[in-house]
Amino acid sequence: MAGKPKLYYFDGRGKMESIRWLLAAAGVEFEEEFLETREQYEKLLQGGSLLFQQVPMVEIDGMKMVQSRAIANYIATKYNLYGKDLKERALIDMYVGGTDDLMGFILIFPFLSAEDKEKQRAFIVEKATSRYFPAYEKVLKDHGQDFLVGNNFSWADVHLLEAILMVEEKKSDVLSGFPQLQAFKARISSIPTIKKFLQPGSQRKPVPDNKYVETVRRVLCMYHDMKAN
């Protein structure tokens, strides 16, 4: 019997958080090894575990997988969160891709200067409310179903809920003009596996703090500031 998936990343969100969400949504228990030193990272590099010299890396089913999208594709397919046919998978890919674009604006946020953070916060909220949330509001309104694709719970739903909660951390009432998304958030949050992941004490990571930022910088030898959009 295969062991639990093992995740290699920092003790924080970054690009691994969506993989944690997907495993949790599927009800899959997983283990984590947190990178805290440059030596740990170099050991993975020297051991050949990081194909492209990058994390996230996940050990699953006898594989050492890198590239977050490939990892998520595999998990979503394995646990029936990737639609029932090619057209549904195409829609899921499209929605996940859009959500990824929005999340990308948020992922760099912790690494910005205080001044750039305020600019980026406004930018994130503006893009969410003018481009991304209206698109998902329309999808849900037009088909009148509980989920984004095929009226079945999928990776697209998991990813969108994660993004909604991330944007709400920047502006708590950001969904005030989106009734469909408000109802969607409540529905998806009440799914037992998701509800469990949202409880205190789960493996969901908190908003990145300075300790997380400094650890990432140290391990990856990042000494330059990122720039806001």
Side-chain angles (χ1 to χ4, degrees):
M1 181 172 151
K4 297 176 183 177
K6 187 170 183 180
L7 283 50
Y8 294 79
Y9 201 68
F10 308 98
D11 187 8
R13 291 183 182 175
K15 290 196 170 184
M16 185 66 90
E17 188 70 356
S18 293
I19 295 166
R20 296 185 187 106
W21 268 87
L22 199 50
L23 286 166
V28 178
E29 294 184 359
F30 57 89
E31 299 174 347
E32 300 189 76
E33 180 171 316
F34 298 126
L35 301 179
E36 298 175 342
T37 67
R38 179 69 185 178
E39 289 71 28
Q40 280 177 288
Y41 185 64
E42 288 178 347
K43 185 177 178 181
L44 289 175
L45 289 172
Q46 291 161 7
S49 295
L50 306 180
L51 183 62
F52 300 113
Q53 302 177 29
Q54 294 172 316
V55 287
M57 192 266 280
V58 175
E59 286 187 324
I60 184 170
D61 296 341
M63 298 183 289
K64 292 183 177 180
M65 293 195 70
V66 295
Q67 292 294 326
S68 53
R69 177 56 72 93
I71 296 165
N73 280 346
Y74 182 81
I75 293 166
T77 303
K78 180 179 172 76
Y79 296 105
N80 300 314
L81 294 170
Y82 206 4
K84 69 177 186 297
D85 57 31
L86 190 60
K87 286 187 176 180
E88 288 193 359
R89 288 194 294 276
L91 287 174
I92 290 168
D93 282 340
M94 186 169 69
Y95 297 150
V96 167
T99 306
D100 264 346
D101 290 346
L102 175 58
M103 284 183 171
F105 304 138
I106 303 171
L107 285 176
I108 68 166
F109 186 86
F111 298 90
L112 301 174
S113 67
E115 181 182 355
D116 281 342
K117 279 183 178 178
E118 289 312 304
K119 295 176 183 175
Q120 190 72 352
R121 187 188 308 276
F123 180 85
I124 289 164
V125 171
E126 192 277 327
K127 289 299 180 187
T129 55
S130 69
R131 179 182 295 182
Y132 297 100
F133 288 173
Y136 295 119
E137 182 81 2
K138 185 177 188 302
V139 169
L140 291 165
K141 184 176 181 180
D142 285 353
H143 67 36
Q145 296 175 334
D146 288 345
F147 304 104
L148 285 171
V149 178
N151 208 25
N152 285 301
F153 182 46
S154 77
W155 176 19
D157 303 305
V158 179
H159 213 46
L160 179 55
L161 177 62
E162 182 189 0
I164 286 171
L165 296 180
M166 289 169 74
V167 179
E168 284 186 331
E169 290 167 351
K170 302 293 179 267
K171 189 175 189 292
S172 60
D173 64 348
V174 73
L175 287 187
S176 60
F178 301 98
Q180 295 290 336
L181 286 179
Q182 291 175 39
F184 172 87
K185 175 190 166 186
R187 279 196 305 275
I188 306 303
S189 297
S190 67
I191 291 171
T193 54
I194 297 292
K195 186 175 182 180
K196 181 180 178 182
F197 191 58
L198 292 173
Q199 296 301 309
S202 79
Q203 287 167 288
R204 183 186 178 211
K205 304 304 179 224
V207 177
D209 58 13
N210 288 336
K211 181 182 177 183
Y212 166 77
V213 170
E214 288 309 311
T215 300
V216 173
R217 288 190 187 280
R218 182 175 65 252
V219 172
L220 300 182
C221 294
M222 291 168 53
Y223 300 113
H224 61 282
D225 288 329
M226 293 185 176
K227 296 296 181 183
N229 288 278

